[in-house]
Amino acid sequence: MDDILVHKTIDFFQETFGSEPEKIVLSPGRINIIGEHIDYNDGFVLPAAIDKIICFAFEKNNSDTAKIVAIDLNDEFEVYTNEEQNQTDSVWTNYLRGVLNQLKRNGYSVEGFNCVFSSNIPVGSGLSSSAALECGFLYGLNELFNFKIKPIDIALMGQKAEHWVGINCGIMDQFSSVMGLENKVIKIDCRTLEYEYHNANFSDYSLVLFDSNVKHSLFSSAYNTRRKECEEGISIISAYFPEISSFRDCKEEDVWSLKDKMSANVFKRSLFVVKEMNRVKLACDALDDGNIEVLGQLMFSTHEGLSLDYEVSCAELDFLVHTVKEDRSVIGSRLMGGGFGGCTINLIKKGQEERIKQQLSTLYLDKFGIELKIYDVKIGNGTSLYTA
C-alpha cells in the first residue's frame, strides 16, 4: 500500500511541476494502545505509529512562494513563505500555515518550494491525520532546507501548530507520529518527554480498528470542557495535598477523600485520570511479560472508564465494544481517541478476524443503519525519508 501511495504522489508531482521531487517523506498516523485523555494531564501514554501514512513530495523552486497541492482534496494554495500566516476558511491549509509560522517564530528562513501530498490515513477516525500532516510537512522542510531540527522538536513544533489552529491537543499524537518504531509501543512521559520503547509482540493477535463512521458534534466543546474539569480537579487536590501538583502523583484514595469537595463531574474525571495512569503502567508490565491477554483486559477497563467516568463515549462505540466483549476471540477492545465517534481498537485472535468483522458489521448495520468501516493496522516506523 505504501509503494502504491508513493508512486501516486511522485507521478502527480512530476505531472504538476515537470520535475522529480528532491525529498519524499512518509508520515504515519498513530494508534494509542492505552492511556487516553491523560497526555494533557502530565501522565504516561502508550501510542505507536502505524502503517497508514501521508506521503509528501518536495522540491525547492527558487522563489519566495510555496505551492502546496492536496491530491486527495483536489485543492491547492500558494503562500509567501516568510510572512506571518493567518488562518483561512480552508481548514486543511491552516495546519500547514501553522507549521510555517512555527518555523518563522523559531528563526528559520524558508525559501520557496513545491509540495504535493496524498494519504491513506482515514480522516476523522481518531488516527491523528492532523499530526501526520503537521509533522510530515515540517520533517520534509527540515530535510529540504537542512534546518537540523531534532525529531522531538519537530513533534513539539507540530503540536504548537495544532494549538494555533485551535485544537488544544497534548503531545502524544505528534510524538508518536515522529518517534514510532516498527513493532514497538512508546511509553511517553508527557510531563518530561522522556520515553522508552516496549515490545509489542502481537504475533498471535491482529490489531483491527472498527470505525463507527460517526462523529458527534459534541467532541470539540467536550474536549475543552474535560480539560477544564481536570484542571479544577487537580487544583482542589493540590489545595488539600500541597505535595501533589499533578494527577501522576495522586492515588485513588486521595481523590475519594475529596469527593465531597468536588462536583460530581470533576470527581469522576479526576478518578478516571488516576486510574488510567495506573493502567498504563500495568500495560507496560503486561507487554514486557508477553501477557497480551492482561493487556486486553486493561483495554476493556479503559473503555468502561471512558464511557462511565469520563463520559466521552457514545451509543455506537459502546455497542461495538460490548458486542465483541462477548466473543472469546476478542481479548481487548476500547474506544480510541477523543471520543463521541471514531474507532474502537481491538485485539483479535488470528484466524478469527473475518468472522468477527462480518458478524459485527451485520449487527451494527441492523442496530444503527450505519455501514461499519474496518481497518487492519500494523505498528510501523515514525516519520522518515523514503528511499526507493
Side-chain angles (χ1 to χ4, degrees):
M1 180 66 80
D2 284 2
D3 285 341
I4 294 171
L5 186 67
V6 169
H7 291 131
K8 169 188 171 183
T9 306
I10 293 173
D11 290 346
F12 191 95
F13 189 96
Q14 291 169 335
E15 292 170 10
T16 303
F17 298 111
S19 55
E20 291 278 343
E22 296 175 50
K23 303 288 183 182
I24 306 293
V25 171
L26 309 181
S27 185
R30 67 100 186 98
I31 55 174
N32 187 29
I33 301 297
I34 204 163
E36 210 66 81
H37 282 282
I38 58 173
D39 57 340
Y40 53 81
N41 283 302
D42 289 339
F44 298 89
V45 290
L46 203 63
I50 57 172
D51 59 345
K52 307 290 185 202
I53 63 166
I54 302 177
C55 178
F56 296 83
F58 294 89
E59 72 171 355
K60 297 177 185 176
N61 64 16
N62 301 312
S63 75
D64 58 359
T65 63
K67 184 172 183 178
I68 302 164
V69 184
I71 299 174
D72 309 319
L73 299 175
N74 193 27
D75 199 6
E76 62 184 58
F77 75 109
E78 290 190 31
V79 292
Y80 288 105
T81 53
N82 275 305
E83 70 180 12
E84 188 74 16
Q85 302 296 320
N86 297 305
Q87 292 197 36
T88 71
D89 293 334
S90 180
V91 175
W92 72 268
T93 73
N94 291 335
Y95 293 97
L96 306 184
R97 295 174 195 273
V99 169
L100 291 173
N101 268 347
Q102 279 301 307
L103 286 167
K104 182 176 176 61
R105 291 172 185 178
N106 283 276
Y108 297 100
S109 180
V110 183
E111 301 168 27
F113 63 92
N114 299 323
C115 172
V116 305
F117 65 91
S118 185
S119 175
N120 59 25
I121 304 173
V123 176
S125 301
L127 302 183
S128 295
S129 57
S130 60
L133 183 63
E134 297 145 2
C135 294
F137 186 62
L138 179 51
Y139 189 100
L141 295 179
N142 186 45
E143 293 290 334
L144 190 65
F145 297 110
N146 197 28
F147 289 143
K148 295 184 170 60
I149 304 171
K150 296 177 181 178
I152 289 178
D153 290 326
I154 289 176
L156 288 167
M157 291 168 71
Q159 180 196 25
K160 289 179 181 176
E162 188 140 343
H163 289 177
W164 182 81
V165 173
I167 306 298
N168 196 20
C169 63
I171 189 58
M172 176 179 68
D173 296 350
Q174 291 80 8
F175 196 105
S176 49
S177 183
V178 174
M179 303 294 291
L181 287 178
E182 187 174 1
N183 295 324
K184 303 278 187 180
V185 296
I186 320 170
K187 182 186 178 187
I188 307 169
D189 183 332
C190 294
R191 181 161 67 181
T192 67
L193 293 189
E194 293 177 330
Y195 63 97
E196 61 189 31
Y197 294 97
H198 292 261
N199 289 326
N201 181 15
F202 298 143
S203 55
D204 296 330
Y205 305 93
S206 293
L207 277 170
V208 181
L209 308 182
F210 293 124
D211 186 346
S212 66
N213 210 10
V214 298
K215 195 67 180 178
H216 295 290
S217 58
L218 288 168
F219 171 69
S220 294
S221 60
Y223 179 88
N224 291 328
T225 299
R226 295 299 180 278
R227 290 197 66 150
K228 290 176 183 176
E229 289 167 340
C230 290
E231 288 166 5
E232 182 178 339
I234 194 61
S235 176
I236 292 169
I237 292 167
S238 297
Y240 286 88
F241 299 99
E243 70 277 13
I244 297 175
S245 61
S246 168
F247 281 117
R248 64 189 288 157
D249 306 317
C250 193
K251 298 181 177 64
E252 284 185 46
E253 52 263 38
D254 298 329
V255 180
W256 278 103
S257 73
L258 296 173
K259 183 179 181 181
D260 62 345
K261 307 296 182 184
M262 301 177 178
S263 70
N265 280 347
V266 168
F267 169 74
K268 288 194 292 186
R269 310 311 183 231
S270 301
L271 187 63
F272 167 79
V273 170
V274 173
K275 286 183 173 181
E276 184 72 350
M277 288 185 182
N278 188 50
R279 280 190 284 264
V280 173
K281 296 175 184 176
L282 294 174
C284 290
D285 292 341
L287 284 169
D288 291 343
D289 293 340
N291 198 335
I292 308 305
E293 294 204 2
V294 168
L295 175 66
Q297 289 302 311
L298 291 167
M299 291 167 64
F300 281 129
S301 296
T302 287
H303 183 82
E304 183 178 358
L306 287 167
S307 181
L308 300 178
D309 288 336
Y310 220 65
E311 296 181 286
V312 292
S313 189
C314 59
E316 295 90 348
L317 292 170
D318 285 344
F319 177 83
L320 292 174
V321 172
H322 295 158
T323 301
V324 299
K325 193 174 184 180
E326 299 301 314
D327 195 304
R328 291 184 178 180
S329 297
V330 182
I331 64 164
S333 177
R334 68 175 189 85
L335 77 84
M336 187 184 72
F340 300 107
C343 290
T344 63
I345 179 172
N346 304 266
L347 278 169
I348 303 176
K349 290 182 180 177
K350 284 197 172 167
Q352 300 298 315
E353 303 95 333
E354 293 310 312
R355 177 182 63 81
I356 298 292
K357 291 175 186 178
Q358 291 175 12
Q359 290 177 355
L360 189 60
S361 295
T362 300
L363 291 169
Y364 190 69
L365 183 62
D366 289 346
K367 175 75 173 178
F368 296 103
I370 300 172
E371 295 278 353
L372 190 66
K373 293 180 181 177
I374 302 171
Y375 314 116
D376 296 296
V377 298
K378 294 181 180 178
I379 295 176
N381 287 315
T383 312
S384 60
L385 282 178
Y386 173 82
T387 53

